[in-house]
Amino acid sequence: MTHIDGIHHVGILGRDLDGMERRYRALGFTLTPRSRHLLAAGPGQRPVEGCTANLCAVFDAGYLELLGIVDESAPDPWHTKAMADEYEGLRLLNLETTDAAKAERRLTEAGLRTSGVLDLERPVDTADGPRTLRARAVHVDPRATPETYLGIAQHLTREHVHQPRYLHHPNGARALDAVLFVVADAAFGDVLDRYRRVLDRTPEREGPLTLFRTGPARLEFVRASDAATILPGEPAPAASYPAALTIRVDDVAAARDLVENAAIPTLTTTDGFSVSAAEAYGATLFFTG
């Protein structure tokens, strides 16, 4: 068994958390209240208040994290400021596990150096009052995964994240269906082999895409030389990078009306519409039914 099945969350990183919040509310997402992170620097260490805070768009399975650096002087045990210094935008992929320790062993067996199992906490508001969200995470050495900052995450208090009151979005969003990566042609084979070993799955082909199914979602990969066929006019912030998210909505036409009424440009796609990364803080958004 891989002990890895599904997308836990993806993260858009930036220093303008206020701007991200305004834009994603305008895009029709319900966001959780802002919450400051308590992060452990190493396995077994006590979490301390770090430099980041977040808001999240939560779905039945998985969520989209808007991750902001809110205090440059605060501790940075997870090296988030260095990540933002490289470039801001869609940066993080955390896969889902029910056992972080076993998932960490799986990553090690796949030849990847990891952080070990780290603890995370942050205060959250619930219908029953303030509570503490707790999770465990394993980070892969980013030098081994130039296409993204890859981690594995385990909910310890899932009910504090996936609260029913946050699952209903004005744009009708129901699920995070896919994450798309653009990968440098020369690295494409190595990247696919890495995810094949981590997920213990065989990839599939779908037009220019190579994809892995993981839980209810998909990880999609396209060669940089083919990226323009899927992401016309979109900039490339790095040789390999997370480029786009696919969001499934109840009613594509209604979602598009909401977005365009907020004066956000859209582009027609085969099965819905898209919003450029330039309009969504570094993540192209595909909306499908």
Side-chain angles (χ1 to χ4, degrees):
M1 294 179 62
T2 67
H3 305 288
I4 300 169
D5 189 25
I7 294 174
H8 186 279
H9 71 276
V10 295
I12 298 174
L13 170 65
R15 285 185 161 89
D16 181 12
L17 189 55
D18 290 339
M20 285 194 284
E21 177 179 2
R22 288 192 296 270
R23 177 45 51 103
Y24 275 79
R25 290 193 189 279
L27 285 163
F29 292 100
T30 297
L31 299 176
T32 60
R34 185 175 300 203
S35 178
R36 190 76 176 263
H37 287 104
L38 300 172
L39 306 171
Q45 295 189 28
R46 183 179 62 83
V48 298
E49 185 173 73
C51 63
T52 57
N54 73 4
L55 307 103
C56 300
V58 182
F59 312 108
D60 287 328
Y63 63 91
L64 167 60
E65 177 183 32
L66 304 179
L67 177 64
I69 297 169
V70 296
D71 184 350
E72 294 280 354
S73 66
D76 186 21
W78 288 13
H79 311 294
T80 311
K81 287 184 282 191
M83 193 190 318
D85 288 342
E86 293 174 342
Y87 69 91
E88 299 178 23
L90 183 57
R91 301 302 311 272
L92 306 170
L93 168 66
N94 275 260
L95 300 172
E96 178 89 41
T97 186
T98 56
D99 191 322
K102 289 181 178 178
E104 195 273 338
R105 288 196 292 272
R106 175 67 190 177
L107 293 172
T108 301
E109 291 166 359
L112 296 172
R113 181 177 297 178
T114 78
S115 62
V117 179
L118 305 176
D119 292 315
L120 174 149
E121 297 179 2
R122 57 184 176 89
V124 295
D125 180 48
T126 74
D128 298 319
R131 295 290 186 272
T132 299
L133 178 153
R134 294 184 173 86
R136 294 190 177 116
V138 180
H139 297 163
V140 174
D141 186 334
R143 292 171 294 184
T145 59
E147 72 284 353
T148 192
Y149 278 74
L150 177 64
I152 313 296
Q154 175 188 358
H155 283 298
L156 299 180
T157 54
R158 187 182 191 279
E159 68 279 7
H160 295 344
V161 176
H162 294 268
Q163 297 182 45
R165 59 181 171 162
Y166 298 132
L167 298 179
H168 302 286
H169 301 272
N171 63 13
R174 289 297 179 198
L176 172 62
D177 270 1
V179 183
L180 170 66
F181 295 89
V182 174
V183 179
D185 289 27
F188 198 75
D190 289 341
V191 169
L192 291 185
D193 182 63
R194 178 162 58 252
Y195 285 87
R196 179 188 58 78
R197 288 182 286 122
V198 169
L199 297 170
D200 193 23
R201 288 174 175 80
T202 301
E204 306 171 32
R205 288 296 302 276
E206 191 174 283
L209 298 177
T210 303
L211 61 95
F212 293 89
R213 300 183 187 277
T214 176
R218 305 172 5 150
L219 301 182
E220 302 173 337
F221 300 85
V222 64
R223 295 178 186 271
S225 58
D226 293 327
T229 63
I230 300 173
L231 301 163
E234 296 285 30
S240 300
Y241 57 98
L245 305 174
T246 298
I247 306 294
R248 179 160 43 86
V249 297
D250 289 330
D251 185 323
V252 169
R256 189 170 192 175
D257 285 344
L258 183 151
V259 170
E260 292 183 342
N261 285 338
I264 301 171
T266 66
L267 181 68
T268 299
T269 62
T270 302
D271 50 4
F273 69 97
S274 66
V275 172
S276 169
E279 301 288 344
Y281 280 82
T284 301
L285 302 179
F286 292 102
F287 292 86
T288 64

Short mmCIF file of all heavy atoms in Angstrom, two decimals, residues 128-190:
data_model
loop_
_atom_site.label_atom_id
_atom_site.label_comp_id
_atom_site.label_asym_id
_atom_site.label_seq_id
_atom_site.Cartn_x
_atom_site.Cartn_y
_atom_site.Cartn_z
N ASP A 128 -18.96 25.45 17.41
CA ASP A 128 -18.94 25.24 18.85
C ASP A 128 -17.91 26.13 19.55
O ASP A 128 -17.61 25.92 20.73
CB ASP A 128 -18.64 23.77 19.15
CG ASP A 128 -19.71 22.84 18.60
OD1 ASP A 128 -20.89 23.20 18.70
OD2 ASP A 128 -19.35 21.79 18.05
N GLY A 129 -17.37 27.11 18.83
CA GLY A 129 -16.40 28.00 19.43
C GLY A 129 -14.99 27.75 18.93
O GLY A 129 -14.77 26.90 18.06
N PRO A 130 -14.00 28.46 19.45
CA PRO A 130 -12.61 28.31 19.01
C PRO A 130 -12.08 26.90 19.28
O PRO A 130 -12.34 26.33 20.34
CB PRO A 130 -11.85 29.36 19.83
CG PRO A 130 -12.89 30.33 20.29
CD PRO A 130 -14.14 29.53 20.47
N ARG A 131 -11.36 26.38 18.32
CA ARG A 131 -10.72 25.08 18.44
C ARG A 131 -9.33 25.17 17.84
O ARG A 131 -8.99 26.14 17.16
CB ARG A 131 -11.53 23.99 17.74
CG ARG A 131 -12.91 23.73 18.34
CD ARG A 131 -12.81 23.06 19.70
NE ARG A 131 -14.11 22.68 20.23
CZ ARG A 131 -14.90 23.48 20.97
NH1 ARG A 131 -14.50 24.71 21.26
NH2 ARG A 131 -16.06 23.05 21.42
N THR A 132 -8.52 24.14 18.04
CA THR A 132 -7.19 24.07 17.44
C THR A 132 -7.16 22.99 16.39
O THR A 132 -7.43 21.82 16.69
CB THR A 132 -6.12 23.79 18.51
OG1 THR A 132 -6.11 24.85 19.47
CG2 THR A 132 -4.74 23.70 17.87
N LEU A 133 -6.87 23.39 15.16
CA LEU A 133 -6.68 22.43 14.08
C LEU A 133 -5.31 21.81 14.24
O LEU A 133 -4.32 22.51 14.50
CB LEU A 133 -6.79 23.14 12.74
CG LEU A 133 -6.57 22.34 11.45
CD1 LEU A 133 -7.33 23.01 10.31
CD2 LEU A 133 -5.09 22.22 11.08
N ARG A 134 -5.23 20.50 14.07
CA ARG A 134 -3.96 19.80 14.17
C ARG A 134 -3.78 18.90 12.95
O ARG A 134 -4.73 18.29 12.48
CB ARG A 134 -3.87 18.98 15.45
CG ARG A 134 -3.84 19.83 16.73
CD ARG A 134 -3.64 18.97 17.97
NE ARG A 134 -3.45 19.80 19.16
CZ ARG A 134 -4.44 20.28 19.89
NH1 ARG A 134 -5.70 20.01 19.55
NH2 ARG A 134 -4.19 21.04 20.95
N ALA A 135 -2.54 18.86 12.48
CA ALA A 135 -2.23 18.02 11.33
C ALA A 135 -0.77 17.58 11.42
O ALA A 135 0.02 18.13 12.21
CB ALA A 135 -2.46 18.79 10.03
N ARG A 136 -0.44 16.58 10.61
CA ARG A 136 0.95 16.15 10.47
C ARG A 136 1.32 16.27 9.00
O ARG A 136 0.48 16.02 8.12
CB ARG A 136 1.14 14.71 10.93
CG ARG A 136 0.91 14.51 12.42
CD ARG A 136 1.35 13.12 12.87
NE ARG A 136 1.18 12.97 14.30
CZ ARG A 136 0.34 12.10 14.87
NH1 ARG A 136 -0.38 11.29 14.12
NH2 ARG A 136 0.24 12.03 16.18
N ALA A 137 2.54 16.65 8.75
CA ALA A 137 2.98 16.82 7.37
C ALA A 137 4.39 16.27 7.19
O ALA A 137 5.20 16.26 8.12
CB ALA A 137 2.96 18.30 6.98
N VAL A 138 4.64 15.82 5.98
CA VAL A 138 5.97 15.38 5.57
C VAL A 138 6.33 16.19 4.33
O VAL A 138 5.57 16.20 3.35
CB VAL A 138 5.99 13.88 5.23
CG1 VAL A 138 7.40 13.45 4.81
CG2 VAL A 138 5.50 13.05 6.40
N HIS A 139 7.46 16.87 4.35
CA HIS A 139 7.91 17.66 3.21
C HIS A 139 9.01 16.92 2.47
O HIS A 139 9.94 16.40 3.09
CB HIS A 139 8.44 19.02 3.66
CG HIS A 139 7.42 19.87 4.32
ND1 HIS A 139 7.74 20.97 5.08
CD2 HIS A 139 6.06 19.81 4.33
CE1 HIS A 139 6.64 21.54 5.54
NE2 HIS A 139 5.61 20.84 5.12
N VAL A 140 8.90 16.89 1.15
CA VAL A 140 9.97 16.34 0.33
C VAL A 140 11.00 17.44 0.09
O VAL A 140 10.65 18.61 -0.11
CB VAL A 140 9.40 15.82 -1.01
CG1 VAL A 140 10.50 15.37 -1.94
CG2 VAL A 140 8.42 14.67 -0.74
N ASP A 141 12.27 17.08 0.12
CA ASP A 141 13.34 18.03 -0.17
C ASP A 141 13.06 18.70 -1.51
O ASP A 141 12.99 18.03 -2.54
CB ASP A 141 14.67 17.28 -0.23
CG ASP A 141 15.87 18.21 -0.37
OD1 ASP A 141 15.70 19.32 -0.91
OD2 ASP A 141 16.98 17.81 0.02
N PRO A 142 12.84 20.03 -1.53
CA PRO A 142 12.45 20.69 -2.78
C PRO A 142 13.49 20.59 -3.89
O PRO A 142 13.15 20.76 -5.07
CB PRO A 142 12.21 22.14 -2.36
CG PRO A 142 12.97 22.30 -1.09
CD PRO A 142 12.92 20.97 -0.41
N ARG A 143 14.73 20.29 -3.55
CA ARG A 143 15.74 20.11 -4.59
C ARG A 143 15.46 18.88 -5.43
O ARG A 143 15.96 18.77 -6.56
CB ARG A 143 17.13 20.02 -3.96
CG ARG A 143 17.60 21.34 -3.33
CD ARG A 143 18.86 21.15 -2.53
NE ARG A 143 18.63 20.30 -1.36
CZ ARG A 143 19.55 20.03 -0.44
NH1 ARG A 143 20.76 20.57 -0.55
NH2 ARG A 143 19.27 19.26 0.60
N ALA A 144 14.65 17.95 -4.89
CA ALA A 144 14.33 16.72 -5.63
C ALA A 144 13.06 16.84 -6.45
O ALA A 144 12.76 15.96 -7.25
CB ALA A 144 14.21 15.55 -4.65
N THR A 145 12.29 17.92 -6.23
CA THR A 145 11.01 18.08 -6.94
C THR A 145 10.91 19.51 -7.48
O THR A 145 10.13 20.31 -6.97
CB THR A 145 9.82 17.78 -6.01
OG1 THR A 145 9.88 18.68 -4.88
CG2 THR A 145 9.84 16.34 -5.52
N PRO A 146 11.66 19.83 -8.52
CA PRO A 146 11.64 21.21 -9.02
C PRO A 146 10.29 21.65 -9.57
O PRO A 146 10.06 22.85 -9.73
CB PRO A 146 12.71 21.19 -10.13
CG PRO A 146 12.83 19.75 -10.52
CD PRO A 146 12.59 18.97 -9.27
N GLU A 147 9.39 20.69 -9.82
CA GLU A 147 8.09 21.05 -10.38
C GLU A 147 7.12 21.59 -9.33
O GLU A 147 6.12 22.22 -9.67
CB GLU A 147 7.45 19.84 -11.08
CG GLU A 147 6.93 18.74 -10.17
CD GLU A 147 7.99 17.85 -9.56
OE1 GLU A 147 9.18 17.99 -9.94
OE2 GLU A 147 7.65 17.01 -8.72
N THR A 148 7.39 21.37 -8.05
CA THR A 148 6.50 21.87 -6.99
C THR A 148 7.14 21.65 -5.63
O THR A 148 8.11 20.90 -5.50
CB THR A 148 5.14 21.17 -7.02
OG1 THR A 148 4.22 21.85 -6.17
CG2 THR A 148 5.23 19.72 -6.56
N TYR A 149 6.60 22.32 -4.62
CA TYR A 149 6.91 21.98 -3.24
C TYR A 149 5.93 20.88 -2.84
O TYR A 149 4.74 21.14 -2.67
CB TYR A 149 6.80 23.20 -2.33
CG TYR A 149 8.04 24.05 -2.37
CD1 TYR A 149 8.31 24.86 -3.47
CD2 TYR A 149 8.95 24.05 -1.32
CE1 TYR A 149 9.46 25.64 -3.52
CE2 TYR A 149 10.10 24.81 -1.35
CZ TYR A 149 10.34 25.61 -2.46
OH TYR A 149 11.48 26.37 -2.51
N LEU A 150 6.44 19.67 -2.72
CA LEU A 150 5.60 18.48 -2.54
C LEU A 150 5.60 18.06 -1.08
O LEU A 150 6.66 17.99 -0.43
CB LEU A 150 6.13 17.34 -3.41
CG LEU A 150 5.41 16.00 -3.29
CD1 LEU A 150 3.96 16.09 -3.75
CD2 LEU A 150 6.16 14.93 -4.08
N GLY A 151 4.42 17.77 -0.57
CA GLY A 151 4.30 17.25 0.78
C GLY A 151 3.19 16.22 0.87
O GLY A 151 2.42 16.02 -0.07
N ILE A 152 3.15 15.56 1.99
CA ILE A 152 2.08 14.61 2.33
C ILE A 152 1.49 15.10 3.64
O ILE A 152 2.23 15.44 4.57
CB ILE A 152 2.63 13.18 2.52
CG1 ILE A 152 3.57 12.78 1.37
CG2 ILE A 152 1.48 12.20 2.67
CD1 ILE A 152 2.93 12.71 0.02
N ALA A 153 0.18 15.16 3.74
CA ALA A 153 -0.46 15.72 4.94
C ALA A 153 -1.52 14.77 5.48
O ALA A 153 -2.21 14.09 4.71
CB ALA A 153 -1.08 17.08 4.63
N GLN A 154 -1.63 14.77 6.78
CA GLN A 154 -2.61 13.94 7.48
C GLN A 154 -3.44 14.82 8.40
O GLN A 154 -2.92 15.52 9.26
CB GLN A 154 -1.90 12.86 8.32
CG GLN A 154 -2.84 12.02 9.19
CD GLN A 154 -2.11 11.10 10.14
OE1 GLN A 154 -0.88 11.04 10.15
NE2 GLN A 154 -2.87 10.38 10.97
N HIS A 155 -4.75 14.78 8.21
CA HIS A 155 -5.64 15.46 9.14
C HIS A 155 -5.65 14.72 10.48
O HIS A 155 -5.78 13.49 10.52
CB HIS A 155 -7.09 15.44 8.62
CG HIS A 155 -7.36 16.42 7.52
ND1 HIS A 155 -7.25 17.78 7.69
CD2 HIS A 155 -7.77 16.22 6.23
CE1 HIS A 155 -7.59 18.39 6.57
NE2 HIS A 155 -7.89 17.48 5.66
N LEU A 156 -5.54 15.46 11.56
CA LEU A 156 -5.82 14.91 12.88
C LEU A 156 -7.15 15.43 13.41
O LEU A 156 -7.75 14.82 14.29
CB LEU A 156 -4.69 15.29 13.86
CG LEU A 156 -3.30 14.75 13.50
CD1 LEU A 156 -2.29 15.20 14.55
CD2 LEU A 156 -3.30 13.24 13.36
N THR A 157 -7.60 16.55 12.85
CA THR A 157 -8.89 17.16 13.23
C THR A 157 -9.60 17.60 11.94
O THR A 157 -9.85 18.78 11.73
CB THR A 157 -8.67 18.36 14.16
OG1 THR A 157 -7.76 19.27 13.54
CG2 THR A 157 -8.13 17.93 15.51
N ARG A 158 -9.89 16.65 11.07
CA ARG A 158 -10.47 16.96 9.77
C ARG A 158 -11.76 17.77 9.89
O ARG A 158 -12.05 18.64 9.07
CB ARG A 158 -10.75 15.66 8.99
CG ARG A 158 -11.19 15.89 7.55
CD ARG A 158 -11.49 14.57 6.84
NE ARG A 158 -11.65 14.77 5.41
CZ ARG A 158 -12.75 15.21 4.84
NH1 ARG A 158 -13.82 15.52 5.58
NH2 ARG A 158 -12.81 15.36 3.53
N GLU A 159 -12.52 17.50 10.93
CA GLU A 159 -13.81 18.17 11.11
C GLU A 159 -13.65 19.68 11.29
O GLU A 159 -14.58 20.44 11.03
CB GLU A 159 -14.55 17.58 12.30
CG GLU A 159 -13.95 17.84 13.68
CD GLU A 159 -12.79 16.92 14.05
OE1 GLU A 159 -12.35 16.14 13.19
OE2 GLU A 159 -12.34 16.99 15.21
N HIS A 160 -12.46 20.12 11.71
CA HIS A 160 -12.24 21.56 11.89
C HIS A 160 -11.94 22.26 10.57
O HIS A 160 -12.04 23.50 10.49
CB HIS A 160 -11.10 21.81 12.87
CG HIS A 160 -11.39 21.35 14.27
ND1 HIS A 160 -12.66 21.06 14.73
CD2 HIS A 160 -10.56 21.11 15.33
CE1 HIS A 160 -12.61 20.68 15.99
NE2 HIS A 160 -11.35 20.71 16.38
N VAL A 161 -11.54 21.50 9.54
CA VAL A 161 -11.28 22.07 8.22
C VAL A 161 -12.52 22.00 7.35
O VAL A 161 -12.99 23.01 6.81
CB VAL A 161 -10.10 21.35 7.53
CG1 VAL A 161 -9.90 21.89 6.11
CG2 VAL A 161 -8.83 21.49 8.34
N HIS A 162 -13.05 20.80 7.21
CA HIS A 162 -14.17 20.58 6.29
C HIS A 162 -15.50 20.80 7.00
O HIS A 162 -16.36 19.92 7.07
CB HIS A 162 -14.07 19.17 5.69
CG HIS A 162 -12.87 18.98 4.82
ND1 HIS A 162 -12.90 19.20 3.47
CD2 HIS A 162 -11.61 18.61 5.13
CE1 HIS A 162 -11.69 18.97 2.96
NE2 HIS A 162 -10.89 18.62 3.95
N GLN A 163 -15.68 22.01 7.53
CA GLN A 163 -16.91 22.36 8.22
C GLN A 163 -18.02 22.58 7.18
O GLN A 163 -17.81 23.27 6.17
CB GLN A 163 -16.71 23.62 9.05
CG GLN A 163 -15.68 23.47 10.16
CD GLN A 163 -15.57 24.73 11.00
OE1 GLN A 163 -16.58 25.34 11.39
NE2 GLN A 163 -14.35 25.16 11.28
N PRO A 164 -19.22 22.05 7.42
CA PRO A 164 -20.30 22.18 6.44
C PRO A 164 -20.58 23.61 6.03
O PRO A 164 -20.92 23.88 4.87
CB PRO A 164 -21.50 21.55 7.17
CG PRO A 164 -20.89 20.56 8.10
CD PRO A 164 -19.60 21.18 8.56
N ARG A 165 -20.43 24.57 6.94
CA ARG A 165 -20.77 25.96 6.61
C ARG A 165 -19.83 26.58 5.59
O ARG A 165 -20.14 27.62 5.01
CB ARG A 165 -20.79 26.81 7.87
CG ARG A 165 -19.47 26.84 8.63
CD ARG A 165 -19.59 27.68 9.87
NE ARG A 165 -18.43 27.56 10.73
CZ ARG A 165 -18.16 28.44 11.68
NH1 ARG A 165 -18.96 29.48 11.88
NH2 ARG A 165 -17.10 28.28 12.45
N TYR A 166 -18.66 25.94 5.36
CA TYR A 166 -17.71 26.47 4.38
C TYR A 166 -17.74 25.72 3.05
O TYR A 166 -16.96 26.05 2.15
CB TYR A 166 -16.29 26.44 4.96
CG TYR A 166 -16.11 27.28 6.20
CD1 TYR A 166 -15.47 26.76 7.33
CD2 TYR A 166 -16.58 28.59 6.25
CE1 TYR A 166 -15.31 27.53 8.47
CE2 TYR A 166 -16.43 29.37 7.39
CZ TYR A 166 -15.79 28.83 8.50
OH TYR A 166 -15.64 29.59 9.63
N LEU A 167 -18.59 24.73 2.92
CA LEU A 167 -18.60 23.90 1.72
C LEU A 167 -19.48 24.46 0.61
O LEU A 167 -19.47 23.92 -0.50
CB LEU A 167 -19.06 22.48 2.07
CG LEU A 167 -18.17 21.70 3.05
CD1 LEU A 167 -18.79 20.32 3.31
CD2 LEU A 167 -16.75 21.58 2.55
N HIS A 168 -20.23 25.51 0.88
CA HIS A 168 -21.14 26.07 -0.11
C HIS A 168 -20.56 27.38 -0.64
O HIS A 168 -20.34 28.33 0.10
CB HIS A 168 -22.52 26.30 0.52
CG HIS A 168 -23.12 25.05 1.09
ND1 HIS A 168 -23.64 24.06 0.29
CD2 HIS A 168 -23.23 24.62 2.37
CE1 HIS A 168 -24.08 23.08 1.06
NE2 HIS A 168 -23.84 23.38 2.33
N HIS A 169 -20.31 27.40 -1.95
CA HIS A 169 -19.64 28.52 -2.59
C HIS A 169 -20.59 29.23 -3.54
O HIS A 169 -21.34 28.57 -4.28
CB HIS A 169 -18.42 28.03 -3.36
CG HIS A 169 -17.42 27.31 -2.50
ND1 HIS A 169 -16.41 27.96 -1.84
CD2 HIS A 169 -17.29 25.99 -2.18
CE1 HIS A 169 -15.69 27.09 -1.15
NE2 HIS A 169 -16.21 25.88 -1.34
N PRO A 170 -20.61 30.56 -3.56
CA PRO A 170 -21.48 31.28 -4.48
C PRO A 170 -21.28 30.89 -5.95
O PRO A 170 -22.23 30.95 -6.74
CB PRO A 170 -21.09 32.75 -4.25
CG PRO A 170 -20.65 32.78 -2.82
CD PRO A 170 -19.94 31.49 -2.61
N ASN A 171 -20.09 30.48 -6.34
CA ASN A 171 -19.86 30.05 -7.72
C ASN A 171 -20.24 28.60 -7.97
O ASN A 171 -20.07 28.08 -9.07
CB ASN A 171 -18.40 30.29 -8.12
CG ASN A 171 -17.40 29.47 -7.28
OD1 ASN A 171 -17.78 28.56 -6.57
ND2 ASN A 171 -16.14 29.83 -7.38
N GLY A 172 -20.78 27.93 -6.95
CA GLY A 172 -21.21 26.54 -7.10
C GLY A 172 -20.09 25.53 -7.09
O GLY A 172 -20.29 24.36 -7.47
N ALA A 173 -18.89 25.91 -6.64
CA ALA A 173 -17.76 24.98 -6.63
C ALA A 173 -18.05 23.78 -5.74
O ALA A 173 -18.55 23.92 -4.63
CB ALA A 173 -16.51 25.70 -6.15
N ARG A 174 -17.73 22.61 -6.28
CA ARG A 174 -17.97 21.36 -5.56
C ARG A 174 -16.71 20.58 -5.27
O ARG A 174 -16.66 19.83 -4.30
CB ARG A 174 -18.93 20.47 -6.36
CG ARG A 174 -20.36 20.97 -6.39
CD ARG A 174 -20.93 20.99 -5.00
NE ARG A 174 -22.29 21.49 -4.96
CZ ARG A 174 -22.89 21.93 -3.88
NH1 ARG A 174 -22.25 21.93 -2.73
NH2 ARG A 174 -24.12 22.39 -3.92
N ALA A 175 -15.70 20.70 -6.13
CA ALA A 175 -14.53 19.84 -5.96
C ALA A 175 -13.33 20.43 -6.67
O ALA A 175 -13.44 21.15 -7.66
CB ALA A 175 -14.81 18.44 -6.51
N LEU A 176 -12.17 20.10 -6.14
CA LEU A 176 -10.91 20.32 -6.82
C LEU A 176 -10.64 19.05 -7.62
O LEU A 176 -10.30 18.01 -7.07
CB LEU A 176 -9.79 20.57 -5.80
CG LEU A 176 -8.36 20.64 -6.33
CD1 LEU A 176 -8.20 21.80 -7.29
CD2 LEU A 176 -7.38 20.75 -5.17
N ASP A 177 -10.83 19.15 -8.94
CA ASP A 177 -10.76 17.96 -9.79
C ASP A 177 -9.34 17.63 -10.26
O ASP A 177 -9.03 16.46 -10.49
CB ASP A 177 -11.65 18.13 -11.02
CG ASP A 177 -13.07 17.63 -10.77
OD1 ASP A 177 -13.35 17.17 -9.64
OD2 ASP A 177 -13.90 17.69 -11.69
N ALA A 178 -8.50 18.63 -10.46
CA ALA A 178 -7.18 18.35 -11.02
C ALA A 178 -6.20 19.47 -10.72
O ALA A 178 -6.59 20.63 -10.54
CB ALA A 178 -7.27 18.15 -12.53
N VAL A 179 -4.93 19.10 -10.68
CA VAL A 179 -3.81 20.03 -10.64
C VAL A 179 -2.96 19.75 -11.87
O VAL A 179 -2.60 18.59 -12.13
CB VAL A 179 -2.97 19.87 -9.37
CG1 VAL A 179 -1.86 20.93 -9.32
CG2 VAL A 179 -3.84 19.94 -8.13
N LEU A 180 -2.65 20.79 -12.62
CA LEU A 180 -1.87 20.66 -13.86
C LEU A 180 -0.46 21.20 -13.64
O LEU A 180 -0.29 22.34 -13.17
CB LEU A 180 -2.54 21.41 -15.00
CG LEU A 180 -1.74 21.56 -16.30
CD1 LEU A 180 -1.54 20.20 -16.96
CD2 LEU A 180 -2.43 22.53 -17.25
N PHE A 181 0.54 20.41 -14.05
CA PHE A 181 1.94 20.81 -13.99
C PHE A 181 2.50 20.94 -15.39
O PHE A 181 2.27 20.08 -16.24
CB PHE A 181 2.77 19.77 -13.23
CG PHE A 181 2.41 19.64 -11.77
CD1 PHE A 181 1.41 18.75 -11.38
CD2 PHE A 181 3.05 20.39 -10.81
CE1 PHE A 181 1.07 18.63 -10.04
CE2 PHE A 181 2.72 20.28 -9.47
CZ PHE A 181 1.72 19.40 -9.08
N VAL A 182 3.23 22.01 -15.61
CA VAL A 182 4.06 22.14 -16.81
C VAL A 182 5.46 21.68 -16.42
O VAL A 182 6.01 22.13 -15.41
CB VAL A 182 4.09 23.59 -17.31
CG1 VAL A 182 5.08 23.74 -18.47
CG2 VAL A 182 2.69 24.03 -17.74
N VAL A 183 6.02 20.79 -17.23
CA VAL A 183 7.33 20.21 -16.90
C VAL A 183 8.28 20.39 -18.07
O VAL A 183 7.92 20.11 -19.22
CB VAL A 183 7.19 18.71 -16.55
CG1 VAL A 183 8.55 18.10 -16.22
CG2 VAL A 183 6.23 18.51 -15.38
N ALA A 184 9.48 20.83 -17.77
CA ALA A 184 10.51 20.97 -18.80
C ALA A 184 10.67 19.66 -19.55
O ALA A 184 10.69 18.58 -18.94
CB ALA A 184 11.83 21.38 -18.17
N ASP A 185 10.77 19.73 -20.86
CA ASP A 185 10.83 18.52 -21.68
C ASP A 185 11.92 17.56 -21.21
O ASP A 185 11.70 16.35 -21.13
CB ASP A 185 11.08 18.90 -23.15
CG ASP A 185 9.87 19.54 -23.80
OD1 ASP A 185 9.06 20.16 -23.08
OD2 ASP A 185 9.73 19.44 -25.03
N ALA A 186 13.10 18.09 -20.90
CA ALA A 186 14.22 17.24 -20.52
C ALA A 186 13.98 16.51 -19.20
O ALA A 186 14.58 15.46 -18.95
CB ALA A 186 15.49 18.07 -20.44
N ALA A 187 13.11 17.07 -18.34
CA ALA A 187 12.85 16.47 -17.03
C ALA A 187 11.59 15.63 -17.00
O ALA A 187 11.29 15.00 -15.98
CB ALA A 187 12.74 17.57 -15.97
N PHE A 188 10.84 15.59 -18.11
CA PHE A 188 9.51 15.01 -18.10
C PHE A 188 9.52 13.54 -17.66
O PHE A 188 8.73 13.12 -16.81
CB PHE A 188 8.87 15.14 -19.48
CG PHE A 188 7.38 14.98 -19.49
CD1 PHE A 188 6.55 15.98 -19.02
CD2 PHE A 188 6.79 13.81 -19.97
CE1 PHE A 188 5.18 15.85 -19.01
CE2 PHE A 188 5.41 13.67 -19.97
CZ PHE A 188 4.61 14.68 -19.49
N GLY A 189 10.40 12.74 -18.23
CA GLY A 189 10.45 11.32 -17.88
C GLY A 189 10.78 11.10 -16.42
O GLY A 189 10.17 10.24 -15.76
N ASP A 190 11.72 11.87 -15.88
CA ASP A 190 12.10 11.72 -14.47
C ASP A 190 10.95 12.10 -13.55
O ASP A 190 10.72 11.45 -12.52
CB ASP A 190 13.31 12.58 -14.15
CG ASP A 190 14.59 12.06 -14.79
OD1 ASP A 190 14.62 10.86 -15.16
OD2 ASP A 190 15.54 12.85 -14.92
#
